[in-house]
Amino acid sequence: MTVPDGRGPIRVLIVDDDARVRSAMRTFLLAHPEFEVVGEAGCAESAVRIAEETAPGVAIVDVLMPTERDGLSLLRIFAEQHGIPVVAMSLNNACADSAIAAGAYAFLAKDGFSDLLVSALLAAHEQDG
């Protein structure tokens, strides 16, 4: 299946310091053919390198990995230097305003992401395209 604009699946980069969370997100996205996971990273440095190699259409970024500054810095890098729309996530909802201010398209709580992740990724991709 392709995305509504007919350009093929949306290329997604997953960035989270917890390998179990990355695996769960990958598994979740595999059930949605409008997405293709093109990479996973456990830290900001790896995320930037993978983004440069794979050119994702959208990224999912944990705001608190391993410190809030790393996640927020990565949001700014993706938004300002790479033009990658980001859906930010965290278990700490207090990070939402900071994530949006840093350039995230949307913020989702990790404990309820499945209900909203697909629509947030589609909307972020549409906004960028």
Side-chain angles (χ1 to χ4, degrees):
M1 177 177 181
T2 60
V3 293
D5 63 13
R7 292 186 290 181
I10 297 170
R11 300 167 53 81
V12 180
L13 171 60
I14 300 169
V15 185
D16 195 294
D17 60 313
D18 188 332
R20 295 168 298 177
V21 172
R22 292 193 311 268
S23 178
M25 285 189 199
R26 175 183 282 278
T27 299
F28 175 79
L29 291 173
L30 284 173
H32 297 274
E34 60 266 45
F35 302 107
E36 173 189 2
V37 177
V38 296
E40 296 179 25
C43 67
E45 183 178 299
S46 293
V48 170
R49 181 181 46 76
I50 293 168
E52 290 171 351
E53 294 171 357
T54 64
V58 66
I60 302 167
V61 175
D62 177 10
V63 176
L64 296 177
M65 53 140 232
T67 67
E68 183 174 349
R69 186 175 47 128
D70 290 344
L72 293 175
S73 294
L74 181 59
L75 291 176
R76 286 186 191 93
I77 290 168
F78 278 177
E80 296 170 8
Q81 297 177 19
H82 296 279
I84 300 168
V86 174
V87 174
M89 298 182 78
S90 180
L91 287 172
N92 183 350
N93 291 339
C95 300
D97 289 340
S98 296
I100 298 299
Y105 175 78
F107 177 89
L108 300 176
K110 279 187 183 179
D111 57 0
F113 78 86
S114 62
D115 295 336
L116 303 171
L117 184 58
V118 170
S119 59
L121 290 171
L122 289 170
H125 185 262
E126 284 293 315
Q127 177 261 345
D128 185 58

